């Protein structure tokens, strides 16, 4: 069995019902070219290392591709489709986590631009920004998932493999109530499918260019929602529930944005240090 054949089986049997299916399929198409001809039984760690090194110009993508290859081979081993994991010994490239989120002024600029944008991308961005959902979750949003009366969005299956209920702000409920209802998808695409990723990115590219936010990705809107909750003092448990993180550790990065508690603690400490009552005469 070749790597190409194994990747097809992995996508269509293991990932077919997961929200990561489309992004993983695109990642494999963009990175697996030189690996596809190898047999799973003859693929060597040296081959994987050379392939991974060839992707060094895009370290984040290379690391993700290596992770997918490792998961795919181990899945194949469990099903006795292949014998060994040739990714052993190849390490991911070191990458720094992205921390870009919009400031209050940038959010205002974005909202002003959206007021003149096409209906689909306007509502799409508002949903991601106000609920902190993943791009794939907004893209696959169905009318049947939304309860307008009780302001609830039930995600049937998230990245964690479980369902997730999110309250919807009144502004989103109003926007949805006026949004054209065509078929099952809130953001319909062609041939009865959901809006394509390419279509979303093209529309978002136009919006961010107009409001001079060319470095902002759609995922940064999710980070913006979480960051502003943290800045305004919401606890990590609330942020975790919004982001649907499986552990609080993944959410802990946002704790550094709320400096109010630290500010108060440092000030109280300084007051104790420099209190005239605690200092001896000079």
């Amino acid at each position: 069995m070749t790597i190409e054949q194994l990747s097809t089986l992995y996508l269509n049997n293991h990932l077919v019902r997961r929200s990561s299916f489309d992004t993983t399929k695109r990642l494999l198409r963009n990175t697996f070219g030189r690996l596809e001809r190898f047999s799973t039984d003859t693929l060597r760690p040296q081959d994987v290392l050379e392939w991974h090194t060839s992707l060094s110009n895009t370290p984040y993508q290379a690391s993700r591709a290596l992770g997918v290859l490792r998961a795919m081979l181990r899945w194949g081993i469990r099903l006795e489709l292949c014998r060994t994991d040739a990714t052993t010994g190849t390490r991911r490239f070191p990458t720094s986590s992205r921390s870009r989120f919009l400031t209050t002024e940038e959010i205002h600029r974005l909202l002003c631009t959206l007021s003149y944008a096409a209906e689909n991308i306007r509502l799409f961005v508002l949903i991601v920004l106000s609920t902190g959902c993943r791009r794939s979750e907004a893209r696959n949003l169905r009318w049947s998932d939304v309860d307008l009366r009780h302001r609830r969005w039930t995600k049937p299956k998230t990245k964690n493999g479980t369902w997730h209920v999110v309250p919807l702000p009144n502004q989103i409920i109003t926007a949805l109530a006026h949004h054209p209802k065509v078929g099952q998808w809130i953001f319909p695409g062609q041939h009865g499918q959901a809006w394509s990723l390419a279509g979303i990115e093209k529309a978002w590219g136009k919006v961010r260019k107009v409001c001079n936010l060319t470095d902002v990705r759609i995922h940064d809107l999710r980070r913006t929602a979480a960051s502003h909750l943290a800045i305004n003092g919401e606890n990590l448990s609330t942020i975790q529930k919004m982001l649907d993180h499986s552990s609080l550790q993944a959410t802990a990065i946002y704790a550094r944005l709320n400096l109010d508690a630290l500010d108060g603690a440092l000030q109280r400490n300084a007051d104790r240090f420099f209190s005239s009552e605690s200092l001896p005469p000079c």
Side-chain angles (χ1 to χ4, degrees):
M1 177 178 291
T2 65
I3 292 295
E4 182 179 16
Q5 291 170 330
L6 181 63
S7 64
T8 300
L9 288 173
Y10 181 70
L11 282 170
N12 295 334
N13 291 277
H14 184 63
L15 293 183
V16 65
R17 297 187 182 278
R18 301 197 179 190
S19 60
S20 57
F21 176 85
D22 290 328
T23 53
T24 303
K25 183 178 181 179
R26 188 169 66 255
L27 179 67
L28 298 186
R29 184 173 63 246
N30 293 337
T31 60
F32 267 37
R34 63 185 294 173
L35 278 184
E36 290 180 342
R37 61 184 175 84
F38 283 98
S39 165
T40 56
D41 292 332
T42 60
L43 183 67
R44 304 170 302 162
Q46 179 65 25
D47 299 322
V48 174
L49 180 61
E50 291 176 357
W51 161 75
H52 189 243
T53 303
S54 72
L55 301 173
S56 59
N57 288 335
T58 54
Y60 178 74
Q61 186 180 57
S63 295
R64 287 186 60 209
L66 178 64
V68 171
L69 177 62
R70 180 172 291 135
M72 186 178 76
L73 289 173
R74 292 177 180 177
W75 175 80
I77 291 171
R78 290 196 301 273
L79 296 183
E80 299 183 352
L81 298 173
C82 53
R83 299 175 184 174
T84 59
D85 175 11
T87 63
T88 302
T90 300
R91 296 183 178 181
R92 300 187 181 197
F93 293 118
T95 56
S96 56
S97 60
R98 186 173 170 87
S99 58
R100 178 72 163 98
F101 65 90
L102 275 65
T103 64
T104 301
E105 186 276 328
E106 288 175 329
I107 293 174
H108 177 70
R109 198 192 319 160
L110 173 60
L111 294 178
C112 288
T113 301
L114 288 175
S115 64
Y116 299 99
E119 170 67 17
N120 264 7
I121 191 61
R122 183 184 69 83
L123 181 56
F124 188 94
V125 170
L126 291 178
I127 288 176
V128 176
L129 183 62
S130 61
T131 68
C133 68
R134 299 176 177 91
R135 179 183 61 175
S136 60
E137 293 169 347
R139 172 179 173 261
N140 292 308
L141 182 56
R142 292 175 168 87
W143 287 106
S144 58
D145 298 334
V146 177
D147 183 344
L148 296 180
R149 180 181 177 185
H150 296 99
R151 299 175 39 248
R152 294 292 183 268
W153 171 14
T154 302
K155 305 174 187 177
K157 199 168 188 179
T158 66
K159 184 179 179 181
N160 293 326
T162 59
W163 58 274
H164 181 219
V165 179
V166 179
L168 291 173
N170 290 324
Q171 293 88 337
I172 299 302
I173 293 297
T174 300
L176 284 169
H178 292 88
H179 189 66
K181 191 172 184 178
V182 182
Q184 64 173 323
W185 306 103
I186 289 182
F187 302 108
Q190 297 180 341
H191 311 299
Q193 300 298 313
W195 198 7
S196 68
L197 289 174
I200 294 170
E201 289 298 334
K202 182 178 180 180
W204 170 243
K206 292 179 180 178
V207 169
R208 67 180 185 176
K209 183 177 181 180
V210 171
C211 58
N212 195 26
L213 295 173
T214 53
D215 66 321
V216 177
R217 306 170 186 171
I218 290 178
H219 190 77
D220 295 333
L221 303 178
R222 170 175 162 86
R223 190 179 297 109
T224 296
S227 297
H228 280 267
L229 284 180
I231 290 170
N232 288 286
E234 297 295 343
N235 61 61
L236 288 183
S237 178
T238 298
I239 300 173
Q240 178 192 11
K241 290 177 182 176
M242 180 192 73
L243 295 175
D244 190 34
H245 281 163
S246 57
S247 70
L248 197 60
Q249 182 179 1
T251 315
I253 187 174
Y254 295 100
R256 66 187 182 187
L257 297 174
N258 184 0
L259 297 179
D260 290 346
L262 178 60
D263 184 10
L266 291 179
Q267 186 59 55
R268 288 190 296 274
N269 217 28
D271 290 343
R272 288 191 292 269
F273 287 157
F274 304 115
S275 170
S276 58
E277 297 177 359
S278 62
L279 293 175
C282 295

